[in-house]
Amino acid sequence: MSSVDNGSIESVSEKASRIQSAKSYLFTTLLKDLLGLGPSIIISKLYSNGRLTLRELSAKTKIGKRKVQGILVKLIQLKCVKYFAPSGSKKPTVNYYVNEEGLLIFLYSGEIIASIKKKYSDDLMAEIIQNFLNYGNLTLSDYLSNLESHKNENQNKENQNKEKDENGSENRDEDDNDEDLDEKSDIEKKFNILIQDGWIVPIKSDIEFQNKYDIYRELYQKNYAKYPKATSISEIKRKKEVKYSTEIDFNKLFEFSKKDIYESDNSFFNKGANTMFGSDSFGSSKIKQDLAFKFSLARFFKHMRSVCLVKIVNQRLGPVSSKVFGLVMQKIEKNSQDCSKFALDFADVYLNLNSKMESQGDSTIIASSDIPAKSLPQYLSYAKLVLDAENSVCFTLQDIAALLKKREDIDLSNSIKFKSVHSNKRKNRDNQNMGPATKKIKQENEILAMQVLNGNHNDSDEEGDENTEDMDEKHSVGALYQHLELMANSSIPFLRRNPNGAYYVPFSELMSKTKEMNFMYLVKSVLGRNEFKVLNCIIKSKLIDEKALINHTLLKDDDLRVCINRLFKLQAIEVQEIPKTVDRQANRSAFAYRFNKKFNTRLLENNLLHEISLIFNHINETKEKNKLLLGKANREDIKGKEEDMLLTSELNQLKWLNENELNCVSRIHRARSIWEVFAIF
C-alpha cells in the first residue's frame, strides 16, 4: 500500500469514526497512537457495521486478507476484538465484533498500574499487572520463562564486557540459582495474592475470546430443540424453563473451582466451599503452571467505584466519616456486586425477579404483563431495593472495628457528638415501633458500641461519664457506631440495615442518586444558578408549563425565557405540546417542559467521550508540529545536557510542551472521572 493510500485511508477513517459515534472516535484515536493505523481502521469498520467476516473486513478497509488476519490475531489477544464460529458446520462463517474490554483497558492502563502500586505498595505486583495489560493473558510458566529469558540476555551482555573467572563463576552460579528460586517463589506468592483479591482471574481459552451473546443464543436454541413439545405446556412456560436451563449451562462454562486453579492435596480442597472465591484461605497451594489468567477489568471498576463513593462521603459528611466508609469498602469491595457496565441488563433482572417471586408465591409481586404503566416505576424502585438487599455483602460493627484497630491514621476521638443510649428518648420511641428481633439486635449493637473490643467489657448500665471517656479514645467503637448510623440515616443512602441488624451498601440506589447529584452539579457549574433552579423544578414536577415555572422559581418572565432557551439549546429539556381543542390549533395549545433522564445521560456520556478524543488529538497535533524539536531533545548526546546544547527559545518551547501535555492529561482525567460515573458505575 502506498503512502498516498495510507494518508487517504487515514483521513477517511478518522472522519467516519468522528461522525458515527463518540466511542468510535475515542478508541480509534487511542489505537492509532498505541498500535498503528491498521488496527484503528479495523475497529472503526467494526463499530460502523456491528459485525463483519474476514472477507468483508478486507474489502471495506482495502487491506489484504493476510494482513487483516494478522491484525485481528493481535486485537483478539488484547481483548479488543471477539469472534464467533457456529459449531456443527464444516466450514463455519467466522464473524468478528468489537470487544470494549480491551479498549477500556488501554484507556485506563496508567490508572490501573497506579492503583495497584498505591494499594499494595509493591513494584513487583504493578509489574505483573503491567505484563498482563501488555500481553492480554498469561500463564505463570510463561511469565517465569519470559523473566528468565530477560535475565539471560542481561547476563550475556554483562559477560561480554567482563573476563570470566572459573572459580568465581561457580560460586556466582550457586548464588544466582538461590536468588532465582527465591524470586520465583516470591512471584508465585504475588500471583496468589492477586488471584485471591480478584485482580487476575482464570480463563478458558476455547471460549474466552468468543462472543458470549452468540454462545448463549446457541445454547438456548439447542435446549429449545431438545425440550419436549407437549401440548399440555404453554409456549410461555416452555420458553421460561428453557431459559432457566440455558442460564445454568451458560454459567457452568465460565465457572472455576479451586481444583481448576491450584495443585494441592484433597485435604486442602475439603476446607470451605469448592468455588473460586468460596474461602479466603488458599493455603500454600501451588498455582497450575499452564492455566491462563487475565486482568479483571470488572474488579478494577469496583475499586474505582469505591474511590468515587469515598470522595462523595467526604464531601457530604466529612473526612472522618469518609475514612470509616473507606474501611467499609475495604471489607466488601472484592465480593461486592459488579458495576452496571458488567452486570446484567436491568430488564433481565426485572423479569428474573418476577419469576422468582411468582415461584415463591409472593402476593406483593405480580407478573410483568399485569403491571399497569403507572405502577411500573414504583415496582422498578422496589425491585432495585430487593436486589440490593439480596445481592449485597453484609457486615457488622465488629467487622469494621477489627479493621479500625489496624489503622493508626484514623482518629475518631471527638469526631462526632455522642449521646448516651439510655438518655436518648427518641431512640427509645423508634425502638418501640420495631419488631422484637430487630429491636433486640439494635440494642445489642448500641450496647456493644459503648464497649471497647479489647477484652475489657463494661456493663451496659454504667454512667454516661464512662461512655464519654470511651468516645475520647482514638479507635472508639461508640464513635464508630455513630458514624455508621450517620451514613445509614443520611439523605443519600450510603448504608442500609437488613432485618438481621447487619449493614450493607445499596449500590444501585446509591449510584442512581450519585448520577443525579453529578448531573445537577454540572448544570449549576456550567450554566448558572438560575438554570439549575429551573431544571430542578422541571425534574420535580415532571411536566410543567411556563406560568407554573414562574410561580415556583420566582423569576421574571424574561429571565425565565433566557434560562429555558439555554437549557433547550443544550437539549437538557424537551417541549411537549398539549392541545386544548380537537383540531389541535397551535394558537390555542399549551406548551409544557419535561426532562428525559435517559436521553440526557447518553448525551452527556457522548459529549464527554468526544471531549476526551479532541484532547487526545490536540496532544498528537502539538507533538506533530514540534516533532523536529522533540526528536532533537530525545537524542542520546543531548539528553541530560539540554541547557547547554539547546537554544533559549527551544528550552522555552520544550517547557511549554510539557506544561501543555500535563494540562491536557489532567483535563482527560477529569472528563473520564465524570464519564465513568454515568457509563460504568
Side-chain angles (χ1 to χ4, degrees), residues 615-663:
I615 298 169
F616 270 124
N617 272 336
H618 172 70
I619 293 172
N620 295 334
E621 287 172 4
T622 308
K623 286 182 177 179
E624 185 66 25
K625 287 178 183 177
N626 296 274
K627 64 180 181 180
L628 293 176
L629 176 60
L630 292 172
K632 184 178 179 181
N634 288 327
R635 277 166 42 186
E636 293 294 332
D637 57 333
I638 294 180
K639 278 184 181 180
K641 304 175 184 177
E642 287 86 355
E643 294 183 359
D644 298 331
M645 306 293 287
L646 297 178
L647 300 173
T648 308
S649 59
E650 290 175 335
L651 288 171
N652 291 333
Q653 186 69 6
L654 275 177
K655 185 180 178 182
W656 178 84
L657 285 172
N658 289 330
E659 290 175 354
N660 178 61
E661 189 167 354
L662 285 173
N663 183 31

Side-chain angles (χ1 to χ4, degrees), residues 14-69:
E14 186 177 345
K15 287 178 182 176
S17 61
R18 184 177 294 191
I19 293 168
Q20 64 191 358
S21 72
K23 276 187 178 179
S24 173
Y25 183 31
L26 172 62
F27 291 133
T28 49
T29 304
L30 201 61
L31 279 182
K32 183 182 166 186
D33 292 339
L34 297 172
L35 301 179
L37 181 60
S40 69
I41 293 172
I42 286 175
I43 290 294
S44 176
K45 294 300 177 185
L46 288 174
Y47 263 114
S48 302
N49 298 276
R51 67 175 186 180
L52 291 171
T53 62
L54 179 62
R55 183 180 294 176
E56 290 169 343
L57 270 172
S58 180
K60 289 182 181 294
T61 58
K62 298 180 181 179
I63 304 174
K65 279 187 182 179
R66 186 168 293 179
K67 193 171 182 180
V68 170
Q69 203 167 13

